[in-house]
Amino acid sequence: MSEQNAKRSMDRRHFLAGAGLAGAAVASSKAGAQTKPDPLITEVQDWSRFLGDGVQARPYGTPSKFEKHIVRQDVEWLTVSRESSVNFTPIHALDGVITPSGLAFERHHGGIAEIDPAKHRIMINGLVDRPLVFTMEDLKRMPGRVNRAYFLECAANSGMEWRGAQLNGCQFTHGMIHNVWYTGVPLKVLLDEAGVKTSGKWVMPEGADASLMTRSIPIEKAMKDCLVAFGMNGEALRPEQGYPVRLVVPGWEGNMWVKWLRRVEVGDQPWHAREETSKYTDLLADGRSRRFTWIMDAKSVVTSPSPQAPMKHKGANVLSGIAWSGRGTVTRVDVSLDGGRNWKTARIEGPSLPMSMVRFYFDFEWDGRELMVQSRAMDNTGYVQPTKQELRAVRGTNSIYHNNGIQTWLVHGNGEVENVEIS
Ligand code: MTE
Ligand code: CO
């Protein structure tokens, strides 16, 4: 260290020593922190004494090394291979309404396709006047580009919880969701360019990955708000999310959001592909299956406290969570601390956009008593998130998909939190 730097850090030490006294003076603030002098205030740390890395040390930024435990995680026993598996968003550790791209859950049926955008084509064919082929550059020249924030929830989110509380963490019970900004071209623009024949009633997007994912989407939805997206949170889509291009189907189950999109066929009836027959259909108690369940109904979860985010302090605390609705806008979220006997309305903080995630907070005092924490979302159609019992009364327990029942977290006196169900 140069003499000058050493002198500067001495001055800083004096300054910080003064700050320490000021710190002690605010000891009675509500969140209740300091009561004794804190050596972390009076001692000078290395990061204040030495220069840090220069600007080119991190050409693409990553989080602080102190945050490296905040990562996507899978549940090994859930799937037989990692190529057809899921890596869950660490929602217990996130805040705000936008999922960071590197933490957005990923679900693949045939691994991550690594596509060279220069070799990628998007075809529109079937019941159209002019079958068309677009390059990525063509797509980026199309008029009508938009930016939209939407949630994507896999229909299988919370699917392991149908027969009772199972996975101990909201990352695993509710982490098949992300909410990001998309940049893309409305699918309608491409379909109009090709000219959909009057007999064209359905579209079938197809992926270029090894799973060749296909789904049937009614033409009304395709024309209303679907996007052919190449951007995510201001940069190119990540490979896990379908680089260079994916379909966005706002409010509808994640499986329909075909990644690595290479073709959209227009037809006059649904195709009944594998993903809409043997999978992603809801088997009812009497053995019949619901044919299509596209819309993801209103749902919410408290992300903190939760099993991976235990309570650490008595006194003032902030409960936090996320809510979303595939039918529109979340208008209200209620929170219960006693297993649904009493409800209070939480504070929705930040943007409340249609088919996009909202963040809620509930400021409360904890006296160390056992809590049964729940949240319940309502949307602008008047829909209220059901309890798990209400859901089972209609759906039975054969289901995997579309579980939007109210989650309960049991907070123990020592602050630990457990996934439970109230019967
Ligand atoms: N598209 C292709 N081509 N291949 C896939 O395996 N998985 C689907 C959908 N689109 C899939 C796909 C499923 S089941 C979901 S939930 C979403 O992509 C997951 O999107 P994400 O990986 O961005 O979270
Ligand atoms: Co899915």
Side-chain angles (χ1 to χ4, degrees), residues 105 107 109 153-156 176 254-255 280:
F105 92 97
R107 168 82 175 103
H109 293 71
E153 184 186 17
C154 180
M176 277 199 252
N255 186 257
Y280 300 100

Coordinates of all heavy atoms in Angstrom, one line a residue, residues 105 107 109 153-156 176 254-255 280, ligand 2:
F105 N -36.1 -21.1 -13.9 CA -36.2 -22.6 -13.9 C -36.1 -23.1 -15.4 O -36.4 -22.4 -16.3 CB -37.4 -23.1 -13.2 CG -38.6 -23.3 -14.1 CD1 -38.9 -24.6 -14.6 CD2 -39.5 -22.3 -14.4 CE1 -40.1 -24.8 -15.4 CE2 -40.6 -22.5 -15.2 CZ -40.9 -23.7 -15.7
R107 N -36.8 -26.5 -18.0 CA -37.5 -27.8 -18.1 C -37.3 -28.2 -19.6 O -37.7 -27.5 -20.5 CB -39.0 -27.6 -17.8 CG -39.9 -28.8 -18.2 CD -39.8 -29.8 -17.1 NE -40.8 -30.9 -17.4 CZ -40.4 -32.1 -17.8 NH1 -39.1 -32.4 -18.1 NH2 -41.3 -33.1 -18.0
H109 N -37.3 -31.7 -22.3 CA -37.6 -33.1 -22.6 C -36.6 -33.8 -23.4 O -36.6 -35.0 -23.6 CB -39.0 -33.2 -23.3 CG -40.1 -32.7 -22.4 ND1 -40.3 -31.4 -22.1 CD2 -41.1 -33.4 -21.8 CE1 -41.3 -31.3 -21.3 NE2 -41.9 -32.5 -21.1
E153 N -45.4 -20.7 -16.0 CA -45.5 -21.8 -15.0 C -45.7 -23.1 -15.6 O -46.7 -23.3 -16.4 CB -46.7 -21.5 -14.0 CG -46.7 -22.5 -12.8 CD -47.9 -22.4 -11.9 OE1 -48.9 -21.8 -12.3 OE2 -47.8 -23.0 -10.8
C154 N -44.9 -24.1 -15.3 CA -45.1 -25.4 -15.8 C -46.4 -26.0 -15.2 O -46.6 -25.8 -14.0 CB -43.9 -26.3 -15.4 SG -44.1 -28.0 -16.0
A155 N -47.2 -26.7 -16.0 CA -48.4 -27.3 -15.4 C -48.1 -28.2 -14.3 O -49.0 -28.5 -13.4 CB -49.1 -28.0 -16.6
A156 N -46.9 -28.8 -14.2 CA -46.6 -29.7 -13.2 C -46.0 -29.0 -11.9 O -45.7 -29.7 -11.0 CB -45.5 -30.7 -13.7
M176 N -41.3 -24.1 -10.3 CA -41.3 -24.2 -11.8 C -42.0 -23.0 -12.3 O -43.1 -23.1 -13.1 CB -42.1 -25.5 -12.1 CG -41.1 -26.7 -12.1 SD -41.8 -28.1 -13.1 CE -42.3 -29.1 -11.7
G254 N -46.9 -23.8 -19.2 CA -45.6 -23.7 -19.7 C -45.3 -24.6 -20.9 O -44.5 -24.3 -21.8
N255 N -45.8 -25.8 -20.9 CA -45.5 -26.8 -21.9 C -45.8 -26.3 -23.3 O -45.2 -26.7 -24.3 CB -46.3 -28.1 -21.6 CG -46.0 -29.2 -22.6 OD1 -46.7 -29.5 -23.5 ND2 -44.8 -29.8 -22.4
Y280 N -49.9 -33.8 -19.5 CA -50.5 -32.5 -19.4 C -52.0 -32.5 -19.5 O -52.7 -31.5 -19.8 CB -49.9 -31.5 -20.3 CG -48.4 -31.3 -20.1 CD1 -47.5 -32.0 -20.8 CD2 -48.0 -30.6 -19.0 CE1 -46.1 -31.9 -20.5 CE2 -46.6 -30.5 -18.7 CZ -45.7 -31.1 -19.4 OH -44.4 -31.1 -19.1
Ligands
CO2 CO -43.6 -28.0 -18.1

